[in-house]
Amino acid sequence: MRLTLEESERALSVQELNEFQEKFNVELPIAFRQFYLKHNGGDLSESNSENDFLLGGFTPIKYGQAPIETVYRDLTDDVPSLKQMIPFAYDQGGNSFLLSVKEADFGNIYLYLMDEEDLAFVCESFEEFLAELTGQ
């Protein structure tokens, strides 16, 4: 299945993505960078709405009403243990998918279940996340 996103925010420049990395003091995984240079967030189209992750869409960087920077601040204000975990997507229930940029588990993907206040391991990389999402 091909991933189709709707209502993506304004495209990011390489400079804007570099500034985002500087803010988090990290070199993001290549697949994550490539994805965000191509799609700056967006909702899954109807053709992608049936997926194992119940993914609703991807959170944009810098632009839009609730960019990653805002979601990150709100999450880490409430749950400090989520620092160094970038909230890049959300499920249909409003839970956040997080990319770990911690040294110990760099690149791993987690799902933060807000109601349970629980962090669930999803997969080991952004590439694996996209492959699972698209069935490849």
Side-chain angles (χ1 to χ4, degrees), residues 107-128:
N108 286 356
I109 306 294
Y110 295 90
L111 177 63
Y112 180 67
L113 303 164
M114 290 185 295
D115 291 342
E116 291 85 18
E117 297 181 1
D118 189 31
L119 189 64
F121 175 79
V122 175
C123 58
E124 293 183 359
S125 70
F126 190 73
E127 295 98 329
E128 186 180 334

Side-chain angles (χ1 to χ4, degrees), residues 59-60 63-71:
T59 307
Y63 300 108
Q65 290 184 332
I68 287 175
E69 296 88 336
T70 300
V71 176

Side-chain angles (χ1 to χ4, degrees), residues 35-76:
F35 180 86
Y36 270 88
L37 286 171
K38 185 175 181 182
H39 309 282
N40 189 14
D43 299 324
L44 288 185
S45 72
E46 286 295 317
S47 64
N48 294 123
S49 63
E50 300 287 325
N51 62 78
D52 291 344
F53 295 135
L54 300 176
L55 189 77
F58 290 87
T59 307
I61 292 174
K62 188 174 181 177
Y63 300 108
Q65 290 184 332
I68 287 175
E69 296 88 336
T70 300
V71 176
Y72 178 81
R73 185 191 63 235
D74 293 347
L75 267 177
T76 57

